[in-house]
Amino acid sequence: MAEPHWPGQQQWLELLREGLTFDLSGLAPGPESPFPQIVHRFDLPALPLASDHESMVLRPGPHLAAAGSSTPLVRNMLALACDLVRHFDDLVAIGWGPANSVIGRRFFESVTAAWLDGGPFPALGLTAFDETPDAALQSVGLGFWIGQELRIEPPLSADRVAATRLAIRLVNHLILTGGLTADEHITAPDGMRLLLQPSRDWATISVRRE
């Protein structure tokens, strides 16, 4: 097959779901797909290595590529990834590029299927969290979904476990609302009053105590 769509990939498998086409590349006898850069891992004892794993890439078909992060399109792609996990036991993990994350197969299928059925967004995996130099806790990959990242400001971020739990709740809230365009006052599960405030460039949502 000629190479008009995906550079470096002359052969791929076209998959159809809900009337949408997705391409799976990295299959023999075609060339290998580049191994992803992984920073965050979930439900895996160690990071997968290129030396003992092979990588395949699932993406929207060329005619859908312009849709980018369209939620219906991405939901169908993730549902297809769940189908692959269910049918292929050798599939070890799912990588998610926007968060530089890799997710163990069982955890991925469980939390993603739950979200697709109306449950909470799988913030641990489809986003991740990093500590910043000034000790804040900041999301990685939320921008793919809503165009904004979340930042739990110190001293609220001092307790990493509590801050991560709060961030997971807020990510789910922001996914449902589609982001934040003005200051928002909320009450945390423990009764604490919080201020959510978008930055001047709208790229970051800061969370602090009132």
Side-chain angles (χ1 to χ4, degrees):
M1 184 179 291
E3 186 187 313
H5 303 306
W6 305 129
Q9 294 293 341
Q10 290 82 23
Q11 297 173 321
W12 60 87
L13 183 66
E14 186 175 83
L15 304 173
L16 182 66
R17 192 180 196 284
E18 301 290 335
L20 302 173
T21 57
F22 300 88
D23 291 345
L24 183 65
S25 61
L27 301 170
E32 295 181 0
S33 292
F35 203 77
Q37 293 185 346
I38 301 169
V39 178
H40 308 279
R41 59 182 168 92
F42 299 93
D43 196 38
L44 286 171
L47 287 176
L49 301 176
S51 57
D52 51 13
H53 293 82
E54 295 181 350
S55 174
M56 297 181 293
V57 177
L58 178 67
R59 68 189 113 196
H63 66 292
L64 297 173
S69 59
S70 162
T71 299
L73 175 63
V74 177
R75 285 174 66 94
N76 271 285
M77 185 172 68
L78 292 169
L80 182 54
C82 285
D83 291 339
L84 293 173
V85 168
R86 296 183 190 112
H87 285 89
F88 297 99
D89 292 338
D90 288 341
L91 200 159
V92 174
I94 300 292
W96 183 246
N100 293 326
S101 65
V102 64
I103 313 154
R105 54 177 286 125
R106 295 185 185 278
F107 182 65
F108 171 83
E109 194 277 333
S110 174
V111 298
T112 303
W115 175 54
L116 296 173
D117 286 340
F121 179 79
L124 293 180
L126 298 188
T127 63
F129 302 98
D130 277 339
E131 183 177 351
T132 66
D134 61 346
L137 186 71
Q138 183 157 327
S139 67
V140 180
L142 182 59
F144 172 84
W145 298 95
I146 65 169
Q148 295 172 299
E149 295 293 347
L150 180 71
R151 179 182 159 98
I152 309 295
E153 301 287 354
L156 191 58
S157 59
D159 183 334
R160 285 290 180 242
V161 174
T164 300
R165 287 175 180 162
L166 174 62
I168 290 170
R169 289 178 177 270
L170 291 176
V171 164
N172 184 64
H173 169 71
L174 292 167
I175 291 290
L176 291 173
T177 60
L180 193 69
T181 58
D183 292 2
E184 183 175 338
H185 302 266
I186 66 170
T187 302
D190 63 359
M192 184 186 304
R193 293 287 296 169
L194 301 175
L195 170 65
L196 278 64
Q197 189 171 45
S199 59
R200 291 184 179 180
D201 62 2
W202 307 107
T204 306
I205 300 169
S206 293
V207 184
R208 52 177 59 89
R209 294 191 183 102
E210 285 190 336

